[in-house]
Amino acid sequence: MAPTNTNECQGSAELQVKRAPVVVDGVTLNGPTLDIQEAEGFLRDAMFIIMEEAVRKATDVKEKVCEWHSPEQLKELLDLDLREGGEAHPQILQRCRDAIRYSVKTGHPRFFNQLYAGLDPYSLVGRFITEALNPSLYTYEVAPVFVLTEEVVLKKMVELLGWTEGGDGIFSPGGSVSNMYAVNVARFQRFPEVKELGLSAMPRLVMFTSQECHYSVAKAAAFLGIGTKNVYVIPSDKRGKMIPAELEKQVQKAKVEGALPFMVSATAGTTVLGAFDPLEDIADICERHSLWMHVDACWGGAALMSSKHKHLLQGIQRANSVAWNPHKMLMAGLQCCAFMVRDQTNILQQCHSAKASYLFQQDKFYDVSYDTGDKSIQCSRKPDAFKFWLMWKALGTKGLEARVDRALAMARYLTEEIKKREGFRLVMEPEYTNVCFWYIPASLRSMSDGPEFWGKVHAVAPLVKELMMKKGSILVGYQPHGDKVNFFRQITISPQVSREDMDFLLDEIQSLGKDL
Amino acid sequence: MAPTNTNECQGSAELQVKRAPVVVDGVTLNGPTLDIQEAEGFLRDAMFIIMEEAVRKATDVKEKVCEWHSPEQLKELLDLDLREGGEAHPQILQRCRDAIRYSVKTGHPRFFNQLYAGLDPYSLVGRFITEALNPSLYTYEVAPVFVLTEEVVLKKMVELLGWTEGGDGIFSPGGSVSNMYAVNVARFQRFPEVKELGLSAMPRLVMFTSQECHYSVAKAAAFLGIGTKNVYVIPSDKRGKMIPAELEKQVQKAKVEGALPFMVSATAGTTVLGAFDPLEDIADICERHSLWMHVDACWGGAALMSSKHKHLLQGIQRANSVAWNPHKMLMAGLQCCAFMVRDQTNILQQCHSAKASYLFQQDKFYDVSYDTGDKSIQCSRKPDAFKFWLMWKALGTKGLEARVDRALAMARYLTEEIKKREGFRLVMEPEYTNVCFWYIPASLRSMSDGPEFWGKVHAVAPLVKELMMKKGSILVGYQPHGDKVNFFRQITISPQVSREDMDFLLDEIQSLGKDL
């Protein structure tokens, strides 16, 4: 009888005759219909393309950082439709080439658009390994290596936070989710009954964060049922740092209203300005009012690797929880996001466990405290710590420190160059690697500061960015911010970036924007 | 001046002399200190190891599925500590070999432990591509190919749900998170003000799910502030299906209590038994009481690919939302999890948006409706749809259907074999690929059914599993369930599995358990 599943990879016909077929429900069952050894040829061809196009060319400064097409154009170029029949290997390999070609090269030395960039070869190998092994990090029994590497990495990160008594943690799928963890743990620590009874049985809970915080704090409040209006937004100073006196005022205000303040989410390395909240002062206020102190150090946490720059996070040792994403400044690859708590009472487990008996059996033959999955809000979970562990092994703590120091020195270099150049204006002196600046085309330089001037400046960055993207020369971010019109935000991270790329950035903006 | 960052990859010294150095903050800045072209040799060596060890050997039925070591032993074997200094490439390559060696081979034909298994070469290539490109799926500008492939895959999945008017969706980091999305969207649809005001301003909300549901429903209720006690658990029948009349009763009960019923989470393919809730009957009740109908089809959704088996999900076309994980039965690789809503009002955006001006600028030069990131609770997000898209292109819808049909036929084959063999006893007739059974060693076969008998049977599966793991022959799940003592749960998914592996499973259990 003919096999019904002939669309599989090569070799199926040959393999099937080797064994005695049985027909069940109209399906012929005998040998495997997918032979991985046979599929290896395809994998090798694909890897050749990936190494050539997605690694070598994609990181070459002489190549484009992106090849721009509108969504409509790109749909035509890609032939995205999914059909009844499959496609042969040569066609699939061409699809791989096309997908890479039309993708933005985030590992390119001139990709400056986000708070991550570059390509670290050790992290990448770690990721290839975990993708090939496809583990899920709920139990030791199915992910022994990855449970242990997560434990070691978290322990080391906890040390860097200065939590001398230790702590606990978990890797999560993004800093936004880490901030959600913080909200949940904070309210559970204050009201353990919230897990069972929910918030409708609670007084109105209020949390505090600065106006410069990441937008995920609002998302967390909405998602966790706190409500965005119960996030009291604390003004920041001109450098983007939360003003402690204003925090104190808002806590008092919430109390007067009869609400229950329960946590502060401070930020170490804000998204736009790269500002660090004054953690010691905030810790004082949190202690005074028994508030959970969370620090969103997703972006700024990397400075803890540097003896030169770790002072930026002075006070983080007093935090109750911290979110820190090594996939950003430390280049561990998306995603690599640690959420850590200083607590010693296994609060992650208590707060999140659901004790599924099919997964977390208590009658296993090994120490089930290594089955860490019930600490998580996820069930299947990717082993995101492993790639960071491998990279850390390869570079050493000193190597990571050198990268951070170099990135900050590069930002300092760019800052000084901006000051020297006509037509460029700094938004503020950077503390971190966020360098924020306007470009003022010659036509506007004689205008006096005022709404008309700023209205015109507002249009510059989007236009320059459009030209850059269509040229494929640079990807850099811009945004309006508070009362400030659109400005560029240059982020330097990767050791692939050279000083000349900084010069090129300014040259390119000047060249594309000079006649606007 | 000597460079301060000499721990980087090869070639740095040579590259630095090529350019004019500038010293800033004690750091020498000039050319890149990481040259990816130089690092390619390392990447190639690592890829050779990965292909050999994590692909070829890891999927070879003649190799072990795992090499068991206790956590303490494994810590010694791996030398996990992270140190000041880095390690050279040969040492890192050995670490790669070790990490693979001591990992469980989830792509092995005899890995039956979870609701995912096997290795699909197309999905794996998709994952290698996205890891190399390291994109984040918030905006079209940085992830054009991946935004479009997500759109196409979701559209096709929505079609398979039978939502003729269309729908919307998003890929999330796990079915648990998808179920959380469902809770959030359901309550937002009923009470849009909950986003701002939170649950303390709401009446007590109650949701319903069956006793057989996935544990993430309880986690969702806790995390989202609903409270686990406000999840009313509906009894299931002997086959594991929610009893509609009991649902009706519980809805009435909640109303009498003055609470506000808002959603039902039905399950299509339960975790342990593989049962499908009666969706049409549940839809009737939801309509009658204006409840949001969510279907957790993370596991069972794959049956929608099969014209032979899609009847299992009859009624899903009436659901308001669905969670479906192609990383399970469809082998798209962890993680690949779609959350879909039938709504036509852009509710994902309304419910989750925070409108970050630094990311979702409205003055971009392209159609910003392609910047889909604000639909998500995440900020950076992995492009999990792409690997599924590539695999779908390669296999076609027919190829995916053949895999599902084959997996179910294999489960049927195993079921009939269990019936034939002495000492094996089915827990129930399977509807899906979950085959649940006890093994009764000869020493217990003469005992009459009763607490003592079942007490002894309870100890069998853990002991057999321990022996299997230490031998490395098979990984298969077991659990107690409701009033039933530990039984094996065999899950068949991958086309790498042959009929003989089913026979081997029973032989091996018999051989390891016969003298217990």
Side-chain angles (χ1 to χ4, degrees):
Chain A
M1 177 165 183
T4 57
N5 38 7
T6 49
N7 281 347
E8 282 294 351
C9 223
Q10 315 91 313
S12 57
E14 188 201 338
L15 275 158
Q16 292 191 354
V17 294
K18 287 184 193 160
R19 293 174 172 84
V22 177
V23 179
V24 178
D25 287 351
V27 180
T28 305
L29 300 177
N30 37 20
T33 55
L34 169 63
D35 184 332
I36 297 291
Q37 291 181 47
E38 297 273 355
E40 268 182 68
F42 167 72
L43 279 165
R44 284 185 208 283
D45 290 347
M47 274 319 300
F48 182 83
I49 292 169
I50 293 168
M51 288 294 293
E52 191 63 20
E53 306 290 327
V55 176
R56 198 191 60 74
K57 270 178 71 179
T59 56
D60 184 345
V61 72
K62 296 184 293 296
E63 300 281 341
K64 287 183 177 186
V65 63
C66 65
E67 181 178 329
W68 170 258
H69 295 282
S70 71
E72 296 67 33
Q73 292 167 326
L74 192 53
K75 280 178 196 178
E76 277 187 36
L77 288 167
L78 289 175
D79 174 30
L80 295 162
D81 282 358
L82 298 165
R83 307 198 176 87
E84 289 294 295
E87 291 180 353
H89 287 175
Q91 212 164 345
I92 296 298
L93 292 173
Q94 185 56 42
R95 295 201 177 280
C96 294
R97 267 185 221 101
D98 289 345
I100 297 167
R101 171 173 176 184
Y102 299 120
S103 286
V104 169
K105 310 304 185 294
T106 70
H108 191 282
R110 289 174 184 168
F111 178 82
F112 304 124
N113 208 63
Q114 314 295 152
L115 299 187
Y116 76 93
L119 186 153
D120 177 85
Y122 309 110
S123 155
L124 185 57
V125 163
R127 290 178 275 157
F128 284 160
I129 289 173
T130 51
E131 290 303 329
L133 291 173
N134 202 32
S136 180
L137 201 49
Y138 19 60
T139 60
Y140 181 82
E141 105 195 24
V142 294
V145 172
F146 305 114
V147 165
L148 297 184
T149 42
E150 180 175 72
E151 185 190 44
V152 167
V153 169
L154 284 168
K155 191 157 169 274
K156 200 75 184 173
M157 291 176 83
V158 159
E159 271 176 44
L160 287 163
L161 295 175
W163 291 351
T164 48
E165 311 283 301
D168 194 10
I170 196 152
F171 275 76
S172 90
S176 298
V177 176
S178 294
N179 288 339
M180 287 182 179
Y181 269 115
V183 174
N184 200 37
V185 170
R187 73 181 174 191
F188 178 81
Q189 183 262 350
R190 188 75 169 263
F191 306 102
E193 66 273 29
V194 74
K195 183 177 178 183
E196 286 189 354
L197 301 182
L199 287 167
S200 66
M202 300 286 134
R204 179 164 68 92
L205 302 182
V206 170
M207 51 191 280
F208 306 86
T209 192
S210 87
Q211 63 181 58
E212 299 284 326
C213 78
H214 189 256
Y215 72 104
S216 60
V217 177
K219 289 209 178 198
F223 200 63
L224 274 74
I226 302 283
T228 53
K229 283 199 172 161
N230 296 316
V231 181
Y232 286 20
V233 178
I234 313 301
S236 299
D237 65 18
K238 281 184 183 167
R239 299 197 63 189
K241 296 165 180 287
M242 188 192 287
I243 302 171
E246 296 292 330
L247 171 61
E248 177 67 37
K249 269 190 222 167
Q250 292 288 315
V251 175
Q252 300 288 1
K253 175 170 169 279
K255 287 185 174 178
V256 168
E257 291 166 356
L260 232 154
F262 76 108
M263 83 179 283
V264 175
S265 180
T267 314
T270 62
T271 310
V272 176
L273 302 176
F276 289 75
D277 284 346
L279 301 183
E280 293 281 13
D281 296 344
I282 291 168
D284 290 342
I285 294 169
C286 287
E287 278 173 20
R288 196 150 59 234
H289 297 284
S290 301
L291 305 177
W292 183 277
M293 179 177 169
H294 173 64
V295 180
D296 175 349
C298 288
W299 173 225
L304 292 167
M305 306 298 308
S306 160
S307 50
K308 198 184 287 179
H309 298 293
K310 67 181 177 191
H311 66 89
L312 289 167
L313 295 109
Q314 179 57 36
I316 201 163
Q317 74 284 357
R318 295 169 69 188
N320 298 99
S321 62
V322 170
W324 173 4
N325 294 0
H327 75 228
K328 296 188 192 282
M329 177 70 88
L330 297 178
M331 297 175 61
L334 283 168
Q335 292 178 332
C336 190
C337 310
F339 172 68
M340 293 165 285
V341 286
R342 189 155 53 94
D343 162 274
Q344 307 286 323
T345 68
N346 208 9
I347 197 172
L348 288 178
Q349 178 82 19
Q350 290 180 62
C351 179
H352 300 118
S353 68
K355 302 190 172 61
S357 60
Y358 80 94
L359 193 57
F360 303 114
Q361 301 92 330
Q362 298 300 302
D363 55 3
K364 290 179 180 174
F365 65 95
Y366 60 86
D367 175 359
V368 292
S369 73
Y370 285 93
D371 288 359
T372 51
D374 220 16
K375 286 183 185 177
S376 167
I377 58 163
Q378 299 180 274
C379 179
S380 61
R381 190 161 64 91
K382 289 178 78 81
D384 291 331
F386 176 73
K387 55 195 174 186
F388 186 34
W389 175 82
L390 192 68
M391 182 179 139
W392 201 328
K393 275 286 193 190
L395 296 173
T397 308
K398 285 284 171 207
L400 293 171
E401 177 174 25
R403 280 197 183 167
V404 173
D405 286 350
R406 185 177 183 278
L408 267 83
M410 202 65 95
R412 174 53 46 196
Y413 171 80
L414 179 67
T415 303
E416 298 308 319
E417 290 302 301
I418 286 170
K419 289 180 189 169
K420 289 179 199 163
R421 291 210 190 196
E422 209 187 340
F424 287 84
R425 202 191 284 195
L426 273 182
V427 174
M428 56 174 252
E429 281 288 331
E431 283 191 289
Y432 203 44
T433 76
N434 309 43
V435 181
C436 297
F437 62 94
W438 290 283
Y439 174 67
I440 319 287
S443 65
L444 305 181
R445 287 180 206 160
S446 56
M447 284 178 74
S448 54
D449 274 22
E452 200 195 335
F453 169 77
W454 287 112
K456 286 178 188 291
V457 172
H458 186 60
V460 172
L463 286 168
V464 170
K465 176 157 178 167
E466 178 176 354
L467 295 169
M468 279 174 168
M469 283 185 68
K470 289 182 170 168
K471 199 176 156 193
S473 56
I474 294 177
L475 256 173
V476 62
Y478 74 83
Q479 64 283 300
H481 192 66
D483 58 357
K484 296 185 172 62
V485 304
N486 280 328
F487 54 84
F488 291 105
R489 180 198 65 172
Q490 160 65 16
I491 301 291
T492 311
I493 292 175
S494 165
Q496 295 149 254
V497 176
S498 76
R499 181 189 54 72
E500 287 158 336
D501 295 314
M502 300 289 101
D503 298 335
F504 178 77
L505 171 73
L506 301 183
D507 292 345
E508 184 74 352
I509 291 172
Q510 203 154 18
S511 143
L512 297 173
K514 67 179 189 300
D515 299 325
L516 293 178
Chain B
M1 177 163 182
T4 57
N5 37 7
T6 48
N7 282 346
E8 282 294 352
C9 225
Q10 316 91 311
S12 58
E14 188 201 339
L15 274 157
Q16 292 195 350
V17 296
K18 286 185 191 159
R19 292 176 172 83
V22 177
V23 179
V24 177
D25 286 349
V27 180
T28 306
L29 301 176
N30 38 20
T33 55
L34 169 62
D35 185 332
I36 297 291
Q37 291 181 49
E38 298 272 356
E40 267 182 70
F42 168 73
L43 280 164
R44 283 185 207 283
D45 291 346
M47 273 318 298
F48 181 83
I49 293 169
I50 293 168
M51 288 296 292
E52 192 63 17
E53 306 290 327
V55 176
R56 199 190 59 73
K57 272 179 69 180
T59 57
D60 185 346
V61 73
K62 295 185 292 298
E63 300 281 341
K64 288 185 176 184
V65 63
C66 64
E67 180 178 330
W68 169 259
H69 295 282
S70 71
E72 295 65 35
Q73 291 167 325
L74 193 52
K75 281 179 195 176
E76 276 187 36
L77 288 165
L78 290 174
D79 173 31
L80 295 161
D81 282 357
L82 298 164
R83 307 198 177 87
E84 289 294 296
E87 292 179 353
H89 288 173
Q91 212 165 344
I92 296 297
L93 292 173
Q94 187 54 44
R95 296 200 175 281
C96 295
R97 267 186 223 99
D98 290 343
I100 296 167
R101 171 174 175 182
Y102 299 120
S103 286
V104 170
K105 310 305 186 294
T106 71
H108 192 281
R110 291 176 182 166
F111 178 82
F112 304 124
N113 207 65
Q114 315 292 152
L115 299 185
Y116 76 94
L119 185 151
D120 178 86
Y122 310 110
S123 154
L124 184 56
V125 163
R127 290 178 274 157
F128 285 161
I129 289 173
T130 51
E131 290 303 329
L133 291 172
N134 201 32
S136 180
L137 202 49
Y138 20 58
T139 61
Y140 181 83
E141 107 193 23
V142 293
V145 172
F146 305 113
V147 165
L148 297 184
T149 43
E150 179 174 71
E151 185 189 45
V152 167
V153 170
L154 284 168
K155 191 156 170 272
K156 199 77 184 173
M157 292 176 82
V158 160
E159 271 175 45
L160 288 163
L161 295 174
W163 291 351
T164 49
E165 312 283 301
D168 194 10
I170 195 151
F171 276 76
S172 90
S176 299
V177 175
S178 293
N179 288 340
M180 288 182 179
Y181 269 116
V183 175
N184 200 38
V185 170
R187 73 181 174 190
F188 178 81
Q189 183 260 352
R190 189 77 169 263
F191 306 102
E193 65 273 29
V194 74
K195 183 177 177 181
E196 286 189 353
L197 300 182
L199 288 167
S200 65
M202 301 285 133
R204 180 164 68 92
L205 301 183
V206 171
M207 52 190 280
F208 305 87
T209 191
S210 87
Q211 63 182 59
E212 299 283 327
C213 78
H214 189 257
Y215 72 103
S216 60
V217 177
K219 289 207 179 198
F223 201 62
L224 274 75
I226 301 282
T228 54
K229 285 199 171 161
N230 295 316
V231 181
Y232 285 20
V233 178
I234 314 301
S236 300
D237 66 17
K238 281 184 185 168
R239 300 197 61 190
K241 295 165 178 288
M242 188 193 288
I243 302 171
E246 296 291 332
L247 172 61
E248 177 67 36
K249 270 190 223 165
Q250 292 289 315
V251 174
Q252 299 289 0
K253 176 172 170 274
K255 285 184 175 177
V256 168
E257 292 166 355
L260 232 155
F262 77 108
M263 84 177 283
V264 175
S265 181
T267 315
T270 61
T271 309
V272 176
L273 302 175
F276 289 76
D277 284 346
L279 301 182
E280 292 282 11
D281 297 344
I282 291 168
D284 290 343
I285 295 169
C286 287
E287 277 172 20
R288 197 150 58 235
H289 298 283
S290 299
L291 305 177
W292 183 276
M293 179 179 169
H294 172 65
V295 180
D296 176 348
C298 288
W299 173 224
L304 292 167
M305 305 298 309
S306 161
S307 50
K308 197 184 290 178
H309 300 291
K310 68 181 177 192
H311 66 89
L312 290 166
L313 297 109
Q314 180 56 36
I316 202 165
Q317 73 284 356
R318 295 168 70 189
N320 299 101
S321 62
V322 170
W324 174 4
N325 294 0
H327 75 229
K328 297 189 191 284
M329 178 70 88
L330 297 178
M331 297 175 61
L334 283 168
Q335 289 179 332
C336 189
C337 310
F339 172 70
M340 293 166 285
V341 288
R342 190 155 53 94
D343 161 274
Q344 308 284 324
T345 67
N346 207 9
I347 196 172
L348 288 178
Q349 177 82 21
Q350 289 179 64
C351 179
H352 300 118
S353 68
K355 301 190 171 64
S357 60
Y358 80 95
L359 193 57
F360 304 114
Q361 301 92 332
Q362 298 300 303
D363 54 4
K364 290 178 180 176
F365 65 95
Y366 61 86
D367 176 359
V368 291
S369 75
Y370 285 92
D371 288 357
T372 52
D374 219 15
K375 287 182 185 178
S376 168
I377 58 163
Q378 299 180 273
C379 179
S380 59
R381 190 161 65 90
K382 289 179 77 83
D384 292 331
F386 176 72
K387 55 196 175 187
F388 187 35
W389 176 83
L390 192 68
M391 182 178 137
W392 201 330
K393 275 286 191 190
L395 296 173
T397 308
K398 285 284 172 208
L400 293 172
E401 177 174 25
R403 280 197 185 169
V404 173
D405 287 350
R406 185 178 183 278
L408 268 83
M410 201 64 96
R412 175 50 49 195
Y413 171 79
L414 178 67
T415 303
E416 298 308 319
E417 291 302 304
I418 285 171
K419 290 179 190 170
K420 289 178 200 164
R421 292 210 189 197
E422 209 188 338
F424 286 86
R425 201 189 285 195
L426 272 181
V427 174
M428 56 175 252
E429 281 289 329
E431 286 191 289
Y432 202 44
T433 76
N434 308 44
V435 181
C436 297
F437 61 96
W438 290 283
Y439 173 67
I440 320 285
S443 64
L444 305 181
R445 285 179 209 161
S446 56
M447 285 179 74
S448 55
D449 273 25
E452 199 195 336
F453 169 76
W454 287 113
K456 286 180 187 291
V457 173
H458 187 59
V460 173
L463 286 168
V464 170
K465 177 157 177 167
E466 178 176 353
L467 294 169
M468 280 174 166
M469 283 185 68
K470 289 181 171 169
K471 199 175 156 192
S473 57
I474 294 179
L475 256 174
V476 62
Y478 75 83
Q479 62 284 302
H481 192 65
D483 58 357
K484 296 185 172 63
V485 305
N486 280 327
F487 54 83
F488 291 105
R489 181 198 64 174
Q490 159 65 17
I491 301 291
T492 311
I493 294 174
S494 165
Q496 294 149 255
V497 177
S498 77
R499 181 188 55 71
E500 288 158 336
D501 296 314
M502 300 290 100
D503 299 335
F504 178 78
L505 171 73
L506 301 183
D507 292 345
E508 183 76 350
I509 290 173
Q510 203 153 17
S511 142
L512 297 174
K514 64 177 189 303
D515 298 326
L516 294 178

